Amino acid sequence: MDQPFRMKSNGQIRVVLNSQKKKTVTKELPDFQVVPKDIPPEHAALKEIEEELGSLVGMEEMKRMIKEIYAWIYVNKKREEMGLKARKQALHMMFKGNPGTGKTTVARIIGKLFQKMNVLTKGHLIEAERADLVGEYIGHTAQKTRDLIKKAQGGILFIDEAYSLGRGGEKDFGKEAIDTLVKHMEDKQHEFILILAGYSREMDYFLTLNPGLHSRFPLVIDFPDYNIEQLMDIAGRMLNEREYTFSHEAEKKLRDHLIWVKAVLNPNSFSNGRYVRNVIEKSVRAQAMRLLMLNSYDRHELMTLRSNDLVFEED
C-alpha cells in the first residue's frame, strides 16, 4: 500500500491517492503567515517600551527598528533553547540627525529595553562629548576614553557630536580617541553598546576617518526634523503634562512663528523639540509674572498661556 503523504524537499506536499492509477496533486505551502497586530502577553518588556515610545512624536523608522531588534534578540534566545546556532551580533549604533530630534531620549529607552532583556547588565546611559574623551598630551586621550568605556560597562556610552573627534586633522588627539573606541568596540562588543550621534553629513564624513568604523555600526537610525504639525503636537503634550493650555490666539501665534523660523533658520541651527521646550518654559515664567502683576489667580487663568505670554528666542 502506498504511503498517502510524502513531503518533497522543495516544500511541496505530494498527495498519493489509493487507486490503480496514481494521481498526484501538488499543493504549494504558503511561505507567509498572518502577523498578529497585538503583542503576545509574554513580551511585557516590549509592551512597556512601546508605551514609552508612544509618548514620542514621529520617529517611525526608529520605533520600527527597536521592535525588530527586540524580535531578533528574543528569537535568538529561542534558537539557543532549541540547540540552533544563535550568533551574537554587535549592537553598536549610529544616530544621524539635527539637534532636538530625540536622539538622547531614544538612547535612554534602548538602555532600559536591553537591561530588561538581559542584553545589558545595568542599562545605564553615560553621556559624553569631545572634551570627555580628548586629553591634552600623548596617551592622555586613550586613558580618558578607556575610563569612559569602563564606566559604561553593562550599559550605553552615548557620544553626541561624535564627528568633532575628527575635526583637528592627523595631529589632533581626537584621532587617538577614535582608535581607542574602535579597539574596544571589538574587544568588548558584548559588554557595552556605543552610540555615536551627530549631524547626518558630518557623521558620514566621520566614518571615513578610520577604516574599521563603518563595519562596526550595523544599526544606523535617521532622526528627521519635525514638521510644523509635529512641533505643535510636542508643544501640546508639554503643556498637557504641566497642566497648561494655549488660548486660540497663542496657538496661532506659535504656529505662525514656527513656520517663519523653520523657513529662515538653517536646519542645523534649529533645535526642533528643544526649541519648543524653551519657548514653553519661558512663556510659563512670563505668564506667572503677568498674573502676579494683575493679582488674578482663578483656575482658568492659571492654566492659560496667552499670546502676549509667548517668548521667542529671536525676540
Side-chain angles (χ1 to χ4, degrees), residues 4 9 30 45 62 76 112 120 122 128 144 147 169 173-174 180 188 195 200 208 217 246 270 285 290 294 300 303 314:
S9 60
M62 177 277 303
N76 244 14
K112 289 181 191 175
L120 295 171
K122 298 178 183 176
K144 287 183 77 172
D147 288 344
F173 292 132
T180 306
K188 302 179 184 295
I195 299 179
S200 298
T208 68
F217 289 96
F246 281 132
F270 179 63
R285 293 196 296 270
R290 175 175 61 83
L294 291 172
H300 180 70
M303 293 180 64
E314 292 72 24

Side-chain angles (χ1 to χ4, degrees), residues 257 269 271 274-276 278-279 282 311-315:
H257 176 76
S269 303
S271 59
R274 197 176 305 150
Y275 182 92
V276 172
N278 290 342
V279 169
K282 288 178 181 178
V311 180
F312 303 128
E313 292 181 13
E314 292 72 24
D315 290 346

Side-chain angles (χ1 to χ4, degrees), residues 11 19 23 46 77 84-85 129 171 173 227 229 275 284 298 305:
S19 64
K23 290 183 181 180
L46 179 59
K77 288 179 179 178
L84 296 169
K85 288 182 180 178
E129 54 188 22
K171 295 182 180 180
F173 292 132
N227 60 36
E229 290 306 319
Y275 182 92
V284 165
D298 71 80
L305 292 184

Side-chain angles (χ1 to χ4, degrees), residues 179-305:
D179 295 341
T180 306
L181 286 170
V182 169
K183 184 179 187 307
H184 284 79
M185 286 170 72
E186 187 65 32
D187 296 347
K188 302 179 184 295
Q189 64 175 293
H190 303 304
E191 297 175 32
F192 82 107
I193 290 172
L194 177 65
I195 299 179
L196 301 185
Y199 300 123
S200 298
R201 185 182 298 175
E202 283 83 348
M203 291 307 291
D204 288 339
Y205 169 73
F206 175 76
L207 288 175
T208 68
L209 299 177
N210 183 297
L213 271 175
H214 199 280
S215 62
R216 283 173 170 79
F217 289 96
L219 300 166
V220 179
I221 303 177
D222 289 305
F223 287 73
D225 289 341
Y226 293 112
N227 60 36
I228 299 299
E229 290 306 319
Q230 289 172 331
L231 290 170
M232 291 301 297
D233 190 2
I234 290 170
R237 293 182 188 214
M238 288 179 178
L239 288 181
N240 188 57
E241 186 181 335
R242 294 165 171 80
E243 292 191 326
Y244 285 91
T245 185
F246 281 132
S247 69
H248 177 73
E249 292 79 10
E251 184 175 349
K252 183 179 184 305
K253 183 177 178 179
L254 177 61
R255 182 186 295 274
D256 290 344
H257 176 76
L258 290 173
I259 292 170
W260 174 81
V261 81
K262 276 181 70 73
V264 300
L265 279 186
N266 184 305
N268 289 356
S269 303
F270 179 63
S271 59
N272 285 277
R274 197 176 305 150
Y275 182 92
V276 172
R277 185 186 66 215
N278 290 342
V279 169
I280 296 297
E281 288 176 351
K282 288 178 181 178
S283 301
V284 165
R285 293 196 296 270
Q287 183 240 33
M289 192 65 196
R290 175 175 61 83
L291 295 181
L292 186 74
M293 299 303 291
L294 291 172
N295 198 29
S296 173
Y297 308 109
D298 71 80
R299 182 180 176 85
H300 180 70
E301 283 302 314
L302 287 169
M303 293 180 64
T304 304
L305 292 184

Side-chain angles (χ1 to χ4, degrees), residues 12-45:
Q12 298 176 336
I13 295 177
R14 181 183 172 91
V15 181
V16 182
L17 303 177
N18 285 325
S19 64
Q20 290 182 347
K21 255 187 171 178
K22 295 178 182 178
K23 290 183 181 180
T24 62
V25 178
T26 302
K27 181 180 180 182
E28 289 283 352
L29 287 177
D31 60 356
F32 67 89
Q33 292 178 321
V34 177
V35 179
K37 290 182 179 179
D38 294 329
I39 300 170
E42 63 266 27
H43 302 294

Side-chain angles (χ1 to χ4, degrees), residues 144-181:
K144 287 183 77 172
T145 305
R146 284 194 294 268
D147 288 344
L148 265 179
I149 292 170
K150 189 174 181 180
K151 288 180 184 176
Q153 293 291 296
I156 291 174
L157 176 56
F158 179 85
I159 303 176
D160 202 6
E161 298 184 1
Y163 51 82
S164 64
L165 294 172
R167 277 183 171 166
E170 283 295 318
K171 295 182 180 180
D172 184 72
F173 292 132
K175 188 175 184 303
E176 190 179 352
I178 296 170
D179 295 341
T180 306
L181 286 170

